[in-house]
Short mmCIF file of all heavy atoms in Angstrom, two decimals:
data_model
loop_
_atom_site.label_atom_id
_atom_site.label_comp_id
_atom_site.label_asym_id
_atom_site.label_seq_id
_atom_site.Cartn_x
_atom_site.Cartn_y
_atom_site.Cartn_z
N SER A 134 -2.00 3.43 11.80
CA SER A 134 -2.04 3.77 13.21
C SER A 134 -3.48 3.72 13.72
O SER A 134 -4.42 3.74 12.93
CB SER A 134 -1.45 5.17 13.44
OG SER A 134 -2.21 6.16 12.78
N GLY A 135 -3.62 3.67 15.05
CA GLY A 135 -4.95 3.63 15.63
C GLY A 135 -5.47 2.23 15.83
O GLY A 135 -4.73 1.30 16.16
N ASP A 136 -6.76 2.06 15.59
CA ASP A 136 -7.47 0.79 15.82
C ASP A 136 -7.35 -0.10 14.58
O ASP A 136 -7.93 0.18 13.53
CB ASP A 136 -8.94 1.11 16.12
CG ASP A 136 -9.76 -0.13 16.48
OD1 ASP A 136 -9.23 -1.25 16.35
OD2 ASP A 136 -10.91 0.03 16.88
N ILE A 137 -6.60 -1.19 14.71
CA ILE A 137 -6.37 -2.05 13.55
C ILE A 137 -7.63 -2.80 13.13
O ILE A 137 -7.82 -3.08 11.94
CB ILE A 137 -5.19 -3.03 13.82
CG1 ILE A 137 -4.72 -3.65 12.50
CG2 ILE A 137 -5.57 -4.10 14.83
CD1 ILE A 137 -3.42 -4.40 12.62
N VAL A 138 -8.52 -3.10 14.07
CA VAL A 138 -9.77 -3.78 13.71
C VAL A 138 -10.61 -2.89 12.81
O VAL A 138 -11.16 -3.34 11.79
CB VAL A 138 -10.56 -4.20 14.96
CG1 VAL A 138 -11.96 -4.67 14.58
CG2 VAL A 138 -9.83 -5.30 15.72
N ARG A 139 -10.71 -1.64 13.16
CA ARG A 139 -11.48 -0.71 12.34
C ARG A 139 -10.87 -0.57 10.95
O ARG A 139 -11.56 -0.47 9.94
CB ARG A 139 -11.57 0.65 13.03
CG ARG A 139 -12.74 1.49 12.57
CD ARG A 139 -13.08 2.59 13.56
NE ARG A 139 -14.32 3.27 13.18
CZ ARG A 139 -15.52 2.84 13.48
NH1 ARG A 139 -15.66 1.71 14.14
NH2 ARG A 139 -16.59 3.52 13.12
N ALA A 140 -9.54 -0.55 10.89
CA ALA A 140 -8.85 -0.46 9.61
C ALA A 140 -9.10 -1.70 8.75
O ALA A 140 -9.35 -1.60 7.54
CB ALA A 140 -7.35 -0.27 9.83
N ILE A 141 -9.05 -2.88 9.37
CA ILE A 141 -9.33 -4.13 8.64
C ILE A 141 -10.76 -4.11 8.10
O ILE A 141 -11.01 -4.44 6.93
CB ILE A 141 -9.11 -5.35 9.54
CG1 ILE A 141 -7.62 -5.53 9.85
CG2 ILE A 141 -9.67 -6.62 8.88
CD1 ILE A 141 -7.34 -6.58 10.92
N ARG A 142 -11.70 -3.71 8.95
CA ARG A 142 -13.10 -3.64 8.51
C ARG A 142 -13.27 -2.68 7.35
O ARG A 142 -14.02 -2.97 6.40
CB ARG A 142 -13.98 -3.20 9.68
CG ARG A 142 -14.32 -4.29 10.68
CD ARG A 142 -15.31 -3.77 11.70
NE ARG A 142 -16.47 -3.17 11.05
CZ ARG A 142 -17.11 -2.08 11.49
NH1 ARG A 142 -16.68 -1.44 12.57
NH2 ARG A 142 -18.16 -1.63 10.85
N ALA A 143 -12.59 -1.55 7.41
CA ALA A 143 -12.68 -0.58 6.31
C ALA A 143 -12.15 -1.19 5.03
O ALA A 143 -12.78 -1.08 3.96
CB ALA A 143 -11.89 0.68 6.67
N SER A 144 -11.01 -1.86 5.10
CA SER A 144 -10.40 -2.45 3.92
C SER A 144 -11.24 -3.58 3.35
O SER A 144 -11.17 -3.88 2.15
CB SER A 144 -9.00 -2.96 4.25
OG SER A 144 -8.30 -3.33 3.09
N CYS A 145 -12.05 -4.23 4.20
CA CYS A 145 -12.90 -5.35 3.77
C CYS A 145 -14.34 -4.93 3.44
O CYS A 145 -15.17 -5.79 3.15
CB CYS A 145 -12.95 -6.41 4.86
SG CYS A 145 -11.39 -7.27 5.16
N ALA A 146 -14.62 -3.63 3.48
CA ALA A 146 -16.00 -3.15 3.29
C ALA A 146 -16.38 -3.14 1.81
O ALA A 146 -16.41 -2.10 1.14
CB ALA A 146 -16.16 -1.75 3.88
N VAL A 147 -16.65 -4.34 1.29
CA VAL A 147 -17.05 -4.49 -0.11
C VAL A 147 -18.29 -3.64 -0.38
O VAL A 147 -19.29 -3.76 0.34
CB VAL A 147 -17.35 -5.98 -0.44
CG1 VAL A 147 -17.81 -6.13 -1.88
CG2 VAL A 147 -16.12 -6.84 -0.15
N PRO A 148 -18.24 -2.77 -1.39
CA PRO A 148 -19.41 -1.91 -1.67
C PRO A 148 -20.67 -2.73 -1.88
O PRO A 148 -20.64 -3.79 -2.53
CB PRO A 148 -18.99 -1.20 -2.97
CG PRO A 148 -17.50 -1.17 -2.93
CD PRO A 148 -17.10 -2.47 -2.29
#
Side-chain angles (χ1 to χ4, degrees):
S134 63
D136 184 352
I137 195 169
V138 170
R139 202 161 188 84
I141 290 171
R142 281 186 52 217
S144 190
C145 293
V147 178

